[in-house]
Amino acid sequence: MNRLEGKTALVTGAARGLGEAIARRFTEAGARVFINDLNLSAAQETAARLGGYGLAADVSSADSVAAMFAELWKQTDSLDILVNNAGISGLEGMNDIDQRMADMLSHAEKVAAGAPIDSIPGGTDSATDSDWQRMMSVHVDGTFHCSREALKRMYPAKSGNIINMGSIMGTLGRGGGTAYCTAKAAILGFTRALAHEAAPMNVRVNAIAPGWIATDMTDPMEAMHPMLKMQTPLARLGDVDDIAWAAVYLASEEAKFVTGQTLSPNGGWYMSQ
Ligand SMILES: NC(=O)c1ccc[n+]([C@@H]2O[C@H](COP(=O)([O-])OP(=O)(O)OC[C@H]3O[C@@H](n4cnc5c(N)ncnc54)[C@H](O)[C@@H]3O)[C@@H](O)[C@H]2O)c1
């Protein structure tokens, strides 16, 4: 069934992972898909594989996003669907991830056992300004920058659909991850406010809040996977299609009365959001 036949979509951070899976399912559902990522050749490689069009931009930069949309408008007059998916874990480029994971696991065991705690691994007391700001700028500014450019055409067209990538971390606080949790909580707040604003213009805005999904982002946290599976009622990490199908639903006419919502495929981690 071509649920997105004739639609045009832009998915950010789509060279791999959840964004790529969403772009693939959108394409199969009949949409013409534009694939953004930081690196043009990575975006173009994925686009060539899926039959889409690759666009480079760092979503955290307003200028970079404006330039990407200028290129997008050369290829299409309108945009029906924007998926603000680009994101970072904050672990990118770190060469001591295994040690960090081991420290976090041993910390969790100590807390559970009621043992004395001297320090918090990845704690807010040791966070740097630049790490904090990068987390906010990629997730929060990026979602704002791309939404703003898309709405410049969606509002006059009185039609559009925006899907923002949140996380269960946006509602669940998690020690050692305050920046990520704060950024994702902001995205959920932005989603609700924008949904309210955009409804009279027939633009729907929703969020997806994935649980733990197996991607390149969560691979480096492999040491934590057994614990995460144990804490998940469905006893596994999600796969990328668990999220991609949620995006297809929200983007389709089947969700025409759905706006301001957070859909959370999370294996039962949360029983409701
Ligand atoms: N994997 C999970 O368990 C999980 C859970 C909840 C939410 N999420 C969110 O889902 C989204 C995708 O995650 P993923 O697991 O596919 O991660 P991933 O690391 O596999 O893919 C993220 C993609 O975003 C791109 N990107 C990063 N910064 C960018 C920027 N400034 N501009 C443009 N592109 C940028 C990366 O290059 C990469 O291709 C993220 O927003 C993430 O926070 C993931």
Side-chain angles (χ1 to χ4, degrees):
M1 187 170 49
N2 285 349
R3 296 158 79 185
L4 302 178
E5 192 64 50
K7 303 288 186 194
T8 301
L10 168 64
V11 185
T12 67
R16 68 181 200 188
L18 299 182
E20 179 181 0
I22 291 167
R24 176 179 295 109
R25 293 301 180 193
F26 277 12
T27 305
E28 289 169 359
R32 181 180 182 209
V33 182
F34 291 85
I35 287 160
N36 153 265
D37 215 286
L38 273 174
N39 180 297
L40 182 61
S41 58
Q44 285 176 332
E45 272 170 36
T46 302
R49 224 173 21 251
L50 303 186
Y53 189 95
L55 291 168
D58 177 346
V59 298
S60 70
S61 154
D63 289 346
S64 181
V65 168
M68 171 176 71
F69 272 82
E71 172 66 20
L72 176 73
W73 302 136
K74 287 183 197 159
Q75 306 299 324
T76 177
D77 288 335
S78 63
L79 183 68
D80 301 295
I81 305 159
L82 167 67
V83 183
N84 285 309
N85 166 78
I88 55 173
S89 67
L91 296 174
E92 291 79 8
M94 290 183 177
N95 49 18
D96 59 348
I97 293 179
D98 290 348
Q99 188 54 51
R100 283 169 180 264
M101 292 301 120
D103 291 348
M104 283 173 79
L105 279 173
S106 121
H107 174 75
E109 280 162 15
K110 278 193 205 159
V111 171
I117 302 295
D118 300 321
S119 64
I120 308 289
T124 307
D125 56 338
S126 58
T128 66
D129 289 356
S130 63
D131 288 349
W132 177 269
Q133 279 152 9
R134 184 70 189 152
M135 192 63 82
M136 298 306 142
S137 67
V138 172
H139 292 273
V140 187
D141 299 355
T143 299
F144 160 63
H145 292 148
C146 294
S147 299
R148 176 172 60 184
E149 295 307 316
L151 288 168
K152 287 177 183 171
R153 299 263 172 134
M154 288 180 176
Y155 280 170
K158 298 266 178 1
S159 174
N161 198 322
I162 297 179
I163 300 170
N164 298 323
M165 197 57 73
S167 166
I168 50 170
M169 294 302 147
T171 40
L172 173 85
R174 193 174 180 95
T178 50
Y180 187 83
C181 294
T182 303
K184 290 304 191 184
I187 286 173
L188 300 185
F190 177 77
T191 299
R192 288 187 289 268
L194 186 60
H196 209 277
E197 171 189 303
M201 297 300 220
N202 192 33
V203 174
R204 294 191 293 110
V205 187
N206 292 287
I208 299 176
W212 293 93
I213 313 295
T215 66
D216 288 321
M217 182 180 276
T218 49
D219 269 2
M221 306 171 200
E222 200 178 354
M224 289 172 64
H225 288 189
M227 183 183 79
L228 299 174
K229 287 177 191 168
M230 220 164 58
Q231 293 171 349
T232 304
L234 286 179
R236 66 171 175 86
L237 269 67
D239 59 54
V240 292
D241 270 341
D242 291 325
I243 304 308
W245 288 123
V248 172
Y249 165 68
L250 288 172
S252 76
E253 279 302 290
E254 294 154 37
K256 64 184 188 302
F257 200 47
V258 180
T259 197
Q261 301 300 305
T262 299
L263 184 54
S264 183
N266 61 50
W269 184 287
Y270 265 113
M271 289 296 164
S272 69
Q273 275 259 76

